[in-house]
């Protein structure tokens, strides 16, 4: 438990390195490491999971003075323009709604960030740790847009979906937060409970282009 | 299939990202205790069903999850305008000022 003086308890959800606990991502059962195929250079879609990241949902009025405080804590400006994201090192902040952002960072940095928010954000806001509830899929390859077109109604053309854009939308029969991280590179934030379903869907949708799993 | 402009995301999205939540601009009575049964029943249950312009509440449930209003023609299905909650429609039928 934390040593913070805050009236609201926050706790470090990441076990220490001395604890005998193994972290398992939502795709742990798939054994991605065993099916990683670096030799498949012809694959049109390359998949990897960035599991066990830290995810924080920040809610705050965009007109609030707390926005400036949050920016100081994060070290980067919150994206206030709809459907945009900012990235610095390991830290990603995605616009989700006019008063909501999804912050992702390495798991072992989450508790420090939460503690700072609790100590420095004095006013009406909310910061919720949803790390255990989601996972991130990274997709790249020359057919990645073709595969995504089967899965979501969002317009993925370069002119409508530039690098850095982020949308919350429907994906297959589920949902995802989709961000373009490169010309042929996308990132999906998916719910833990739909992780297996979406992984199966991606395999099916990628079949005609060839799918490789990267580490 | 509607192509709906979300005033919060500031772009058009497919209808499957949205849900319609019924008639817009239904104000909760300030003093419910003072209402007759008929007035309370009308507030709770009775809705417009116009042939023509209709002001509706929608939610971008798969996107930003924000509510907003849509003025739609129930005959042609054409969306005349989209405006935020708290704002008034600019497209209104002469017989139906909200
Ligand atoms: Zn929206």
């Amino acid at each position: 438990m934390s040593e913070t003086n805050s009236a609201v308890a926050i706790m470090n959800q990441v076990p220490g390195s001395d604890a005998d606990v193994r972290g398992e991502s939502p795709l742990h059962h798939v054994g991605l490491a065993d099916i990683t195929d670096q030799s498949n250079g012809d694959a049109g879609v390359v998949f990897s999971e960035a599991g066990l990241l830290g995810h924080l949902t920040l809610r705050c009025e965009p007109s609030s003075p707390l926005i400036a405080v949050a920016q100081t804590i994060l070290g980067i400006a919150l994206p206030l323009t709809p459907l945009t994201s900012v990235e610095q090192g390991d830290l990603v902040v995605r616009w989700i709604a006019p008063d909501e952002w999804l912050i992702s960072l390495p798991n072992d940095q989450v508790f420090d960030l939460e503690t700072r928010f609790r100590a420095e954000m004095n006013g009406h806001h909310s910061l919720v740790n949803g790390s255990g509830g989601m996972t991130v899929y990274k997709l790249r390859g020359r057919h990645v847009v073709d595969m995504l077109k089967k899965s979501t109604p969002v317009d993925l053309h370069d002119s409508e979906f530039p690098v850095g854009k982020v949308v919350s939308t429907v994906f297959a029969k589920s949902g995802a937060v989709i961000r373009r991280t490169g010309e042929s590179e996308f990132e999906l934030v998916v719910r833990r409970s739909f992780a297996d379903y979406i992984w199966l869907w991606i395999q099916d949708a990628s079949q005609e282009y060839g799918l490789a799993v990267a580490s | 299939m509607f192509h709906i402009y979300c005033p919060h995301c500031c772009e058009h999205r497919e209808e499957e990202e949205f849900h319609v939540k019924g008639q817009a601009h239904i104000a909760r009575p300030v003093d419910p205790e003072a209402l007759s049964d008929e007035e309370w029943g009308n507030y709770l249950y009775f809705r417009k069903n116009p042939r023509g312009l209709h002001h509706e509440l929608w939610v971008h449930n798969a996107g930003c999850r924000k509510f907003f209003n849509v003025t739609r023609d129930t005959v042609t299905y054409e969306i005349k305008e989209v405006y935020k909650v708290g704002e008034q429609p600019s497209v209104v039928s002469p017989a139906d000022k909200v």
Side-chain angles (χ1 to χ4, degrees), chain A residues 85-144:
Chain A
S85 64
V86 296
E87 189 173 351
Q88 190 177 75
D90 292 331
L91 181 70
V92 180
V93 184
R94 305 170 191 82
W95 184 97
I96 299 294
D99 56 358
E100 181 176 340
W101 295 267
L102 178 60
I103 302 164
S104 299
L105 71 170
N107 218 356
D108 56 4
Q109 297 173 19
V110 170
F111 183 57
D112 286 346
L113 194 68
E114 274 189 293
T115 306
R116 282 199 65 191
F117 264 89
R118 198 74 71 187
E120 297 173 37
M121 294 275 280
N122 294 308
H124 188 63
H125 78 287
S126 148
L127 187 77
V128 175
N129 186 338
S131 306
M134 36 194 124
T135 191
V136 176
Y137 293 165
K138 296 190 177 235
L139 296 157
R140 58 184 159 89
R142 66 186 190 282
H143 282 296
V144 69

Side-chain angles (χ1 to χ4, degrees), chain A residues 150-153 169-176 191 193-194 197-199 201-202, chain B residues 16 61-62:
Chain A
K150 299 183 192 177
S151 317
T152 173
T169 183
V170 288
F171 190 93
K173 305 274 184 203
S174 178
R191 304 290 302 188
S193 50
F194 283 97
Y197 163 73
I198 289 176
W199 155 243
W201 176 281
I202 288 171
Chain B
E16 66 176 301
N61 61 300

Side-chain angles (χ1 to χ4, degrees), chain A residues 95, chain B residues 6-10 13 18 60 63-66 68:
Chain A
W95 184 97
Chain B
C6 172
H8 300 285
C9 293
C10 304
R13 295 287 185 84
F18 301 86
H60 193 186
C64 61
R65 303 195 296 277
K66 293 293 178 193
F68 59 94

